[in-house]
Amino acid sequence: MKRIRIKELLKSEPIGEKVTVKGWVRTFRNNQFVALNDGSTLDNIQLVLQLGDFEEELIKKVTTGAAVSAVGTVVKSMGKGQSVEITVEQIEVIGESDPEKYPLQPKKHSMEFLRENAHLRFRTNTFGAVFRIRHAAAMGIHRFFDERGFLYLHTPILTASDAEGAGEMFRVTTLSAQYPPLTEENEVDFSKDFFGKEAHLTVSGQLEAELGALALSDVYTFGPTFRAEHSHTTRHLAEFWMIEPEMAFADLNDNMDLAEEMLKYLIAYLLEHCSKDLEFLDQRLHQEEKNKPMDQRSPMGLIEKLQFCLQNDFERVTYTEAINILRNSKPNKKKKFQFVIEDWGADLQSEHERYLVEKHFKKPVILYNYPKDIKAFYMRVNEDEKTVAAMDILFPGIGEIIGGSQREERLAVLQSRMEEMDIPQDEMFWYLDIRKFGSCPHAGFGLGFERFVQFVTAMGNIRDVIPFPRTPGTITF
Ligand code: 4AD
Ligand code: MG
């Protein structure tokens, strides 16, 4: 008999029918009640084993973590907590799980412990919910762009250029680490390396996405990106996924509109498709908050926060306005910020971003028109010649979730920016070429996928929204 997924079974409630279910045992009470979960939904199905119907040897193997298959009849449940259950006729233990050794005991484990057991943590309610939501968010993204005629473009992961010009790249090489070939100047001879030159893992697919947009009009990438930043924070990963749309014939306003529309679409999509998991995480947050001091608790529950984002316009504020707000803010005057804001031109730290979002505006904020000196070379220089048409979207509890800009489409301006910032022009002839042949205004942004998933799941640490996090010093699994 074909197996039915628990999600499907709980939805259709085929009372009186015989079904086969397969999954992993969460708990087994009184040698009678098995809570079975197959990951298709948060809910377990209860298997009821009549005492005396099964061999003792078999019953002994029904332990937490074991994989089992059961055949039985769906009946209305007498107990509370579930509407239907299965009266079991046959049960088979497919994969045993030694209860003395199985790391996940039926009790609450710390997030740190679960991270060390990331190979098993999918089997908890919390991680089941997080990864179902992560999946739905990815589907929602593809649907959003597909509905608007954007092409999904696969940009390379191996690259010879540093898209952000920030130099935080992982090298990719097949040269011997011990005895690399050397040049006459005693430097590593990368002309002998696999690609005949230095290669790295990409930090962004943007530059290639721009090439696509200048022919296909609207494109987006959705892939892994890598940054060798030594940031030990709850918001940084060395390997993270990024969504990067790029639009031809578009300016900064179009860019901000698209970003806000996309975030709202995704939130609405998740509220529609993941309500059960979101409710679970909402409750979880509520419990966690109880252990925090009053002033650190979030003012809204998870679902309330998501609805709030949907219903309110994001605040659009220029960098210059933001600096004035920060300069006159209490924490700045009382020198409570670690980095006190004095002059226009200062880079904003996460403490400043959080102040603007959480204390001042109390809603998502789009900051735009940043000083050119603190932004990347490809951003379009504004008429004031001091600022660039950049925008960052800041979210409560997360800080920067999106970074983007209108791109510099004027060849001469781009060239002089690259010169100022020491970006090699000969190697990037292709990037300059599209400014020579049919250049046009264009714009795009990057959404950090894990930061978004963190926001919609209320998970405190970014390491808990990607299956196997890579951070400085960690690459297990
Ligand atoms: O602001 P960033 O560096 O922008 C770019 O890479 C542009 N090329 C995007 C574009 O315009 N196409 O990164 C974009 C977003 C950030 O806002 C943040 O959400 C996320 O990527 N991000 C990280 N997420 C997790 N770990 C890290 N180390 C991240 N660095 C950036
Ligand atoms: Mg950024």
Side-chain angles (χ1 to χ4, degrees):
M1 201 193 326
K2 198 169 171 283
R3 160 195 185 205
I4 182 168
R5 296 284 195 108
I6 294 170
K7 182 179 183 179
E8 170 63 34
L9 188 144
L10 293 176
K11 198 169 146 204
S12 60
E13 299 195 345
I15 298 202
E17 274 180 39
K18 205 176 208 182
V19 295
T20 301
V21 289
K22 298 183 184 185
W24 293 268
V25 175
R26 286 286 174 85
T27 55
F28 188 27
R29 282 187 298 123
N30 303 342
N31 276 355
Q32 226 183 337
F33 303 105
V34 179
L36 192 76
N37 190 282
D38 68 2
S40 59
T41 174
L42 186 71
D43 292 319
N44 304 323
I45 185 80
Q46 173 154 282
L47 308 180
V48 183
L49 278 59
Q50 287 309 324
L51 288 169
D53 274 8
F54 302 92
E55 301 267 335
E56 209 172 304
E57 275 309 294
L58 175 64
I59 292 293
K60 267 196 206 151
K61 290 180 182 163
V62 180
T63 56
T64 298
V68 305
S69 169
V71 179
T73 309
V74 181
V75 296
K76 259 202 152 44
S77 179
M78 298 297 186
K80 20 176 225 213
Q82 66 274 322
S83 59
V84 295
E85 60 191 24
I86 296 175
T87 309
V88 175
E89 288 156 29
Q90 288 168 40
I91 183 161
E92 182 195 344
V93 175
I94 299 173
E96 294 177 25
S97 169
D98 183 342
E100 301 292 313
K101 294 185 181 145
Y102 186 54
L104 300 187
Q105 297 299 317
K107 61 160 199 178
K108 196 171 155 53
H109 292 290
S110 74
M111 285 292 121
E112 290 75 18
F113 174 84
L114 291 171
R115 232 170 271 147
E116 285 159 16
N117 288 278
H119 55 309
L120 295 168
R121 67 179 179 170
F122 296 116
R123 295 184 186 187
T124 63
N125 283 338
T126 298
F127 287 96
V130 165
F131 291 115
R132 280 186 296 271
I133 290 172
R134 185 179 165 113
H135 159 81
M139 291 298 124
I141 283 160
H142 287 301
R143 210 173 85 169
F144 174 82
F145 287 115
D146 186 50
E147 281 171 3
R148 282 157 189 77
F150 283 64
L151 300 192
Y152 179 24
L153 195 72
H154 297 98
T155 50
I157 289 167
L158 297 174
T159 178
S161 65
D162 179 357
E164 289 302 298
E168 290 156 338
M169 306 186 86
F170 288 101
R171 186 191 304 288
V172 177
T173 179
T174 53
L175 295 180
S176 155
Q178 223 176 345
Y179 304 110
L182 299 176
T183 60
E184 280 174 8
E185 290 79 37
N186 233 17
E187 281 167 355
V188 177
D189 187 359
F190 287 106
S191 70
K192 304 238 165 59
D193 205 347
F194 188 90
F195 297 107
K197 55 158 76 170
E198 286 187 67
H200 297 91
L201 294 177
T202 189
V203 294
S204 157
Q206 176 198 321
L207 304 192
E208 289 91 350
E210 283 184 53
L211 311 180
L214 263 75
L216 305 167
S217 285
D218 297 313
V219 300
Y220 71 106
T221 72
F222 186 171
T225 49
F226 307 86
R227 304 220 176 154
E229 298 172 280
H230 286 274
S231 312
H232 296 262
T233 76
T234 54
R235 300 177 309 115
H236 287 87
L237 290 166
E239 176 179 300
F240 65 98
W241 288 64
M242 189 155 49
I243 295 95
E244 296 183 274
E246 193 68 36
M247 298 177 286
F249 310 109
D251 63 14
L252 190 67
N253 279 318
D254 300 317
N255 209 21
M256 294 196 270
D257 290 345
L258 181 76
E260 183 167 346
E261 192 190 343
M262 179 192 72
L263 290 168
K264 287 181 169 167
Y265 177 101
L266 287 178
I267 290 170
Y269 185 89
L270 294 176
L271 285 168
E272 188 190 333
H273 290 84
C274 302
S275 55
K276 198 174 259 303
D277 288 322
L278 288 172
E279 274 158 32
F280 171 80
L281 292 170
D282 194 331
Q283 279 305 312
R284 179 183 179 276
L285 175 67
H286 189 68
Q287 293 302 325
E288 299 259 295
E289 296 274 289
K290 283 187 186 161
N291 304 324
K292 285 191 191 162
M294 272 301 201
D295 64 326
Q296 284 174 33
R297 294 187 193 173
S298 50
M300 289 184 205
L302 171 60
I303 293 181
E304 197 186 351
K305 181 182 78 173
L306 296 179
Q307 273 155 354
F308 178 85
C309 277
L310 270 188
Q311 287 152 7
N312 289 279
D313 287 342
F314 296 1
E315 197 73 38
R316 300 187 185 192
V317 188
T318 64
Y319 167 90
T320 305
E321 287 164 331
I323 283 289
N324 289 333
I325 292 167
L326 288 167
R327 247 196 225 134
N328 295 318
S329 70
K330 249 198 206 148
N332 204 60
K333 286 185 170 159
K334 294 193 168 164
K335 305 217 185 314
K336 286 269 164 64
F337 284 139
Q338 201 187 336
F339 297 91
V340 175
I341 298 278
E342 276 158 11
D343 301 316
W344 188 94
D347 204 352
L348 299 184
Q349 306 296 324
S350 76
E351 56 181 348
H352 308 127
E353 297 178 345
R354 296 190 68 156
Y355 176 84
L356 290 170
V357 174
E358 287 155 30
K359 297 278 186 305
H360 190 84
F361 291 109
K362 298 191 167 68
K363 52 153 98 165
V365 172
I366 311 185
L367 280 188
Y368 64 100
N369 289 350
Y370 281 79
K372 67 176 181 183
D373 292 339
I374 57 171
K375 288 289 182 186
F377 72 93
Y378 51 71
M379 298 186 175
R380 191 178 197 281
V381 180
N382 286 324
E383 267 170 34
D384 60 16
E385 295 195 353
K386 279 170 31 197
T387 61
V388 286
M391 63 116 178
D392 277 3
I393 302 192
L394 314 178
F395 261 30
I398 303 288
E400 180 190 335
I401 197 163
I402 278 182
S405 69
Q406 186 174 338
R407 319 305 187 189
E408 184 54 77
E409 86 284 11
R410 297 161 297 183
L411 180 67
V413 184
L414 181 63
Q415 281 171 326
S416 77
R417 286 285 286 154
M418 288 173 84
E419 210 163 287
E420 269 168 39
M421 296 174 81
D422 274 333
I423 313 277
Q425 294 183 38
D426 47 346
E427 281 173 26
M428 298 217 359
F429 71 92
W430 44 274
Y431 192 68
L432 293 164
D433 256 13
I434 55 164
R435 273 79 182 169
K436 290 180 192 159
F437 309 115
S439 189
C440 73
H442 60 288
F445 62 81
L447 168 67
F449 189 49
E450 284 75 19
R451 292 205 185 157
F452 177 75
V453 178
Q454 227 189 322
F455 180 73
V456 294
T457 56
M459 296 299 281
N461 196 316
I462 198 165
R463 295 161 207 218
D464 298 329
V465 300
I466 185 163
F468 303 106
R470 270 82 178 95
T471 52
T474 334
I475 193 163
T476 323
F477 312 106

